[in-house]
Amino acid sequence: MDETTAEEADSAPADSAAEPADITYDEQFYPARPKALRPIARRRQYLASRPSLEFDGRNAAYVEWLRNQAMLGDANVLARQLSGQASMWQNSYAHPNPRAAVERAPVWFTAYPLSFITQPGQSFLSALGDAGMWEAFREIGIRALHTGPVKLAGGISGWTQTPSVDGHFDRISMAIDPVFGTEEEFRQMCEVAADHGGTVIDDIVPGHTGKGADFRLAEMNFRDYPGIYHMIDIPEEDWHLLPDVPEGQDSANLSPESEQALQEAGYIIGRLQRVIFYEPGVKETNWSATRAIVDTTGKTRRWVYLHYFKAGQPSINWLDPTFAGMRLVVGDALHSLVDLGTGALRLDANGFLGVEKSAEEQPGWSEGHPLSEAANQLIGSMIRKVGGFSFQELNLTIDDIKATSESGPDLSYDFITRPAYHYALVTADTELLRLTLRLSMEIGVDQASLVHALQNHDELTYELMHFASGHRDEVFEFNGQELTGAQLADQVQQTMRERLTGENAPYNAVFTTNGIACTTVSFIMAALGIRDPEAITPEQEGQVLDAHILLSMYNALQPGVFALSGWDLTGITALDREHVHALTSEGDTRWINRGAHDIMGTSPDAETSSAGMPRARSLYGSLPDQLQDSASFARRLQRILEVREDNGIATGTLLDVPDVSNRGLLVMVNRLGDGALQVTVLNFSGQDIAGSIQSAHLPPGASVQDLFSGETVGQVDDLHSFFLELSAHQGTALLLHDEDPGAEEAHGPGSAHPSADEGTHLT
């Protein structure tokens, strides 16, 4: 194979690489795309002879085999084809543009490859490119598809690829994993999406890789590869500080004692602010030691490496002098955007890109670090530079989310209010939700920059990092008490655990310290007090559906992106943990909320997905069946999204979250793009509510129109209020119209403007 194609660190001049390809540019759907760029799949066709030698630096054929599938080398090949091209300068990139991203993709379907049931013999990517599914999406109002991670993941042991340890978020290649389909099917999916006015969103993982070719070459100290990772070469005289690696494994987690000894010896910065995926005897620190391995010079080495997540996910070093990690991540992003044809990228685990030694006896600085902000700015800017947009799934404080949003990704996942709206349904009390919305406004987070979501592949997160970490000693008023942030978080978490797991809901499970493993439906069942899903009555199913629609209204009837999954669309319940015992045996209970589902009803007899995930129970049925029923989840959701789209709610601005006359009520006052005032009112309680809606932003004399029925339901009085009735677990969207054309001058910038848009009735 050509040496330049395989190399990642040579200093060969650019003209030694392949001639740059011609560029085509489609401003609406695709960034610049070199016509003949196929750097990954061809690499994987390289086959080496397999002599009976050690799998280390002494085996030149093995080293060459690894080089020809390493991500870092592919990133360089891609970069050389894009450098100097005029198309790299056609887009502004310095500042995030959340509203442009929301306008392009306001409603997302979040897929999960391992759980997606397809037709017999059909690949996951082929199914996502099905025109019939996109027709259904367009009818409902879904405008974007987040594929989830579909590139090769896991690790390499000898000549053998090992399976993923974290749902394909331990990426080891830019090649599409054949289990999900082909690169051509991926491109076809992007084209079908574009034909239906849709956008495809892919994933990159700037925080870590799997233990693939790049990590194995790093262990061999090969050229730039150790610079990808937080790896420290431990001299042999100090190997006594390292744990023994058990037979059959390639690393061993450091105990807290070993971690401290290595810190005192000056090798590592020691313990960090928290240990994600902590499990006694399995992962007690964020550091592991490799086995002894011979490098390409014949020297035997052992390394200690950082991993925030699982041992098979070594962390990327964003401030190594080689900048090898940065090159790898940016190359992976560009491959997805300019070669495959996606329009956006999710940044996974992007809040943990910087670590630094802290004061004596204090944990290392690893969250909210300025290096993370700088790295995110580089990634977000590069994505915008080629015409895409990005979002981050960053579970940190509101302050940190605000800081990273200023120059990094265009959008952020709503970890701010997500646990609070769950808590509101559990307790029939919106106090925490109102508190978090107000804090977000005070700190300066734009609601339109957030991705408001129902279920995704993870657990129902309730860490409440703003309270539990960054503001743990600050005092907040909550439930009639003055509580520190830490006390507030603990009280909320304890309530959620008691109400959503154990005797009250044995079908759900606690997931480490992060939250609750459950689907949206199984969460709602627990919140409603349903203990046995198998004995659920038709009346209870109706209550579950109403609550599910309520949560959809909360997420959709405010500025920002609205996202939902196949588990939501089909009403999936949690799996019996015995059906996924092999996957949950080491404590990762999230597999119970990842049951297989058949969106289009193409394989009614399939008991598992093609990846082997057991089929879960569906309360709502397939999309084609639901679209035949006006009272189904999909049809009711469609009406919500029509009101959202017709009135421009997604790109509005949140003005006020006022106090309420009943603790189960939530009121959000939004300013729409045309200047009109829109009010979302939701009843999180199981009781009918009649009460006053009041806000200083409501102009006296304005009429109040229900956007679902089109009817006028009230008028704002001199106290800036109006009366409204809502049934249990119901909500609505209202639009204010000034009766007096001169009212704007009289009432100032808080006044509303009439709108000709009207929604349809919500049943």
Side-chain angles (χ1 to χ4, degrees):
M1 192 174 215
D2 183 86
E3 178 65 15
T4 306
T5 302
E7 192 49 75
E8 95 302 336
D10 285 350
S11 58
D15 60 6
S16 68
E19 287 294 317
D22 292 333
I23 301 296
T24 60
Y25 182 76
D26 181 332
E27 183 177 43
Q28 185 175 6
F29 295 115
Y30 299 115
R33 179 190 294 179
K35 290 180 179 177
L37 180 59
R38 297 290 187 273
I40 307 304
R42 290 173 61 186
R43 278 185 168 278
R44 296 193 64 252
Q45 293 171 6
Y46 175 88
L47 296 175
S49 58
R50 302 186 178 187
S52 180
L53 295 173
E54 295 294 328
F55 298 122
D56 56 33
R58 293 169 293 185
N59 187 342
Y62 184 59
V63 172
E64 185 69 8
W65 180 72
L66 293 173
R67 290 176 60 215
N68 276 276
Q69 55 190 315
M71 297 175 71
L72 183 55
D74 292 328
N76 267 356
V77 173
L78 184 60
R80 289 174 179 176
Q81 295 180 64
L82 292 172
S83 294
Q85 300 300 309
S87 59
M88 294 295 293
W89 299 96
Q90 302 305 310
N91 299 289
S92 58
Y93 61 86
H95 302 293
N97 193 345
R99 279 176 173 75
V102 173
E103 285 180 355
R104 182 174 174 184
V107 180
W108 300 357
F109 172 76
T110 302
Y112 189 65
L114 300 180
S115 302
F116 201 92
I117 294 177
T118 65
Q119 296 180 39
Q122 184 184 36
S123 73
F124 169 71
L125 292 175
S126 176
L128 291 188
D130 176 62
M133 186 186 76
W134 277 98
E135 288 286 349
F137 281 179
R138 183 162 61 180
E139 188 172 349
I140 293 169
I142 296 169
R143 298 261 297 279
L145 171 79
H146 179 204
T147 62
V150 295
K151 293 182 178 180
L152 280 169
I156 290 176
S157 178
W159 300 102
T160 305
Q161 183 182 333
T162 57
S164 170
V165 299
D166 190 23
H168 272 67
F169 286 100
D170 45 345
R171 180 168 298 172
I172 62 172
S173 173
M174 296 184 199
I176 300 296
D177 191 327
V179 75
F180 300 131
T182 67
E183 284 196 359
E184 289 308 315
E185 288 175 330
F186 196 111
R187 293 186 182 91
Q188 177 66 20
M189 170 185 64
C190 293
E191 292 173 6
V192 171
D195 290 342
H196 291 82
T199 299
V200 171
I201 304 169
D202 194 12
D203 291 78
I204 61 169
V205 190
H208 53 254
T209 71
K211 287 185 175 178
D214 296 272
F215 186 75
R216 297 308 177 200
L217 290 168
E219 286 182 310
M220 299 176 200
N221 199 35
F222 184 75
R223 296 193 175 134
D224 284 1
Y225 285 87
I228 298 173
Y229 302 102
H230 287 281
M231 298 180 71
I232 297 90
D233 185 7
I234 308 298
E236 190 169 358
E237 59 266 26
D238 281 333
W239 284 5
H240 66 278
L241 299 175
L242 305 178
D244 294 330
V245 177
E247 187 70 27
Q249 298 185 27
D250 62 6
S251 65
N253 190 240
L254 299 186
S255 66
E257 294 74 24
S258 295
E259 180 185 56
Q260 184 175 352
L262 286 165
Q263 179 183 5
E264 292 173 352
Y267 290 118
I268 63 175
I269 65 172
R271 69 187 173 97
L272 304 182
Q273 289 170 276
R274 58 175 168 156
V275 181
I276 300 173
F277 290 114
Y278 175 85
E279 188 173 351
V282 177
K283 186 190 176 186
E284 298 180 328
T285 72
N286 291 299
W287 302 91
S288 286
T290 70
R291 68 202 189 290
I293 189 166
V294 179
D295 70 13
T296 54
T297 69
K299 180 177 179 179
T300 303
R301 299 178 184 271
R302 290 193 73 187
W303 308 79
V304 170
Y305 69 95
L306 175 69
H307 54 95
Y308 285 105
F309 297 89
K310 298 181 180 181
Q313 296 170 294
S315 294
I316 291 174
N317 184 354
W318 274 83
L319 203 56
D320 183 82
T322 66
F323 291 97
M326 180 189 300
R327 286 188 280 143
L328 182 152
V329 172
V330 170
D332 191 24
L334 290 175
H335 172 251
S336 179
L337 293 162
V338 304
D339 185 20
L340 297 179
T342 60
L345 293 173
R346 169 187 179 268
L347 277 55
D348 178 70
N350 67 314
F352 311 99
L353 306 185
V355 294
E356 184 174 335
K357 183 178 176 62
S358 295
E360 203 67 32
E361 304 302 324
Q362 295 297 313
W365 186 6
S366 56
E367 298 186 7
H369 195 283
L371 178 57
S372 290
E373 297 173 23
N376 280 294
Q377 180 175 9
L378 285 167
I379 300 169
S381 294
M382 182 60 78
I383 292 170
R384 287 187 289 272
K385 197 172 184 183
V386 295
F389 69 86
S390 59
F391 82 100
Q392 62 183 355
E393 197 160 333
L394 185 64
N395 185 20
L396 295 179
T397 66
I398 303 174
D399 315 75
D400 290 331
I401 292 173
K402 172 66 166 60
T404 57
S405 299
E406 291 177 348
S407 55
D410 300 277
L411 303 165
S412 297
Y413 202 80
D414 184 5
F415 281 115
I416 299 171
T417 72
R418 191 167 184 253
Y421 81 72
H422 289 130
Y423 187 76
L425 187 68
V426 167
T427 61
D429 188 341
T430 64
E431 182 182 11
L432 179 64
L433 183 51
R434 285 179 275 121
L435 172 62
T436 53
L437 283 165
R438 290 168 181 169
L439 286 172
S440 181
M441 294 173 67
E442 290 171 10
I443 292 170
V445 173
D446 181 0
Q447 288 299 107
S449 71
L450 299 178
V451 178
H452 311 291
L454 293 171
Q455 184 184 349
N456 66 10
H457 66 280
D458 277 327
E459 78 292 342
L460 189 161
T461 302
Y462 65 11
E463 289 177 296
L464 294 167
M465 295 304 297
H466 186 82
F467 301 102
S469 178
H471 297 263
R472 61 177 294 106
D473 298 321
E474 185 177 335
V475 175
F476 299 89
E477 290 187 9
F478 184 66
N479 278 342
Q481 302 174 290
E482 289 192 347
L483 301 175
T484 65
Q487 291 171 329
L488 186 154
D490 183 67
Q491 186 176 115
V492 170
Q493 292 163 0
Q494 183 175 345
T495 299
M496 298 279 267
R497 286 192 296 269
E498 290 176 354
R499 291 286 302 275
L500 301 179
T501 65
E503 292 182 1
N504 291 322
Y507 40 86
N508 297 328
V510 173
F511 172 64
T512 64
T513 59
N514 294 42
I516 308 297
C518 60
T519 67
T520 302
V521 163
S522 72
F523 154 69
I524 292 171
M525 286 179 175
L528 297 180
I530 300 171
R531 296 194 176 192
D532 184 3
E534 298 302 319
I536 189 170
T537 66
E539 180 184 5
Q540 289 173 325
E541 287 189 13
Q543 293 171 347
V544 169
L545 178 56
D546 283 346
H548 206 159
I549 287 295
L550 174 75
L551 301 186
S552 301
M553 295 181 81
Y554 167 73
N555 287 288
L557 297 179
Q558 63 173 304
V561 167
F562 169 53
L564 76 165
S565 66
W567 297 295
D568 290 304
L569 277 178
T570 53
I572 296 298
T573 61
L575 288 168
D576 186 322
R577 65 196 71 189
E578 287 302 315
H579 294 165
V580 284
H581 176 73
L583 295 170
T584 61
S585 59
E586 293 187 359
D588 192 347
T589 55
R590 293 174 300 173
W591 293 102
I592 70 171
N593 55 247
R594 296 171 176 169
H597 47 277
D598 187 357
I599 293 291
M600 297 303 292
T602 56
S603 299
D605 297 326
E607 295 183 357
T608 68
S609 67
S610 60
M613 280 299 295
R615 187 181 193 124
R617 181 184 179 188
S618 167
L619 292 189
Y620 306 157
S622 69
L623 284 189
D625 288 343
Q626 289 190 59
L627 292 177
Q628 301 300 314
D629 179 3
S630 62
S632 68
F633 177 81
R635 282 300 187 194
R636 293 176 68 178
L637 178 66
Q638 177 186 358
R639 291 193 282 278
I640 294 169
L641 299 182
E642 285 173 351
V643 166
R644 169 185 163 93
E645 178 77 15
D646 291 345
N647 294 277
I649 294 173
T651 52
T653 302
L654 179 63
L655 294 180
D656 191 20
V657 183
D659 290 334
V660 290
S661 56
N662 185 293
R663 297 180 71 87
L665 276 179
L666 177 73
V667 177
M668 295 184 287
V669 181
N670 301 311
R671 169 81 66 197
L672 304 181
D674 63 359
L677 284 179
Q678 182 270 319
V679 183
T680 296
V681 187
L682 306 171
N683 178 4
F684 279 84
S685 79
Q687 305 297 320
D688 296 348
I689 292 177
S692 179
I693 309 300
Q694 185 175 38
S695 169
H697 290 271
L698 306 181
S703 62
V704 182
Q705 178 193 17
D706 188 311
L707 290 172
F708 290 99
S709 67
E711 299 174 354
T712 298
V713 295
Q715 186 174 39
V716 179
D717 60 26
D718 291 340
L719 298 177
H720 304 274
S721 67
F722 61 89
F723 184 80
L724 190 71
E725 297 180 358
L726 276 180
S727 300
H729 295 141
Q730 297 293 316
T732 193
L734 307 167
L735 189 68
L736 271 62
H737 298 273
D738 281 338
E739 295 299 305
D740 179 1
E744 181 175 3
E745 293 183 9
H747 301 297
S751 300
H753 297 274
S755 169
D757 294 323
E758 292 185 359
T760 54
H761 184 62
L762 180 67
T763 56

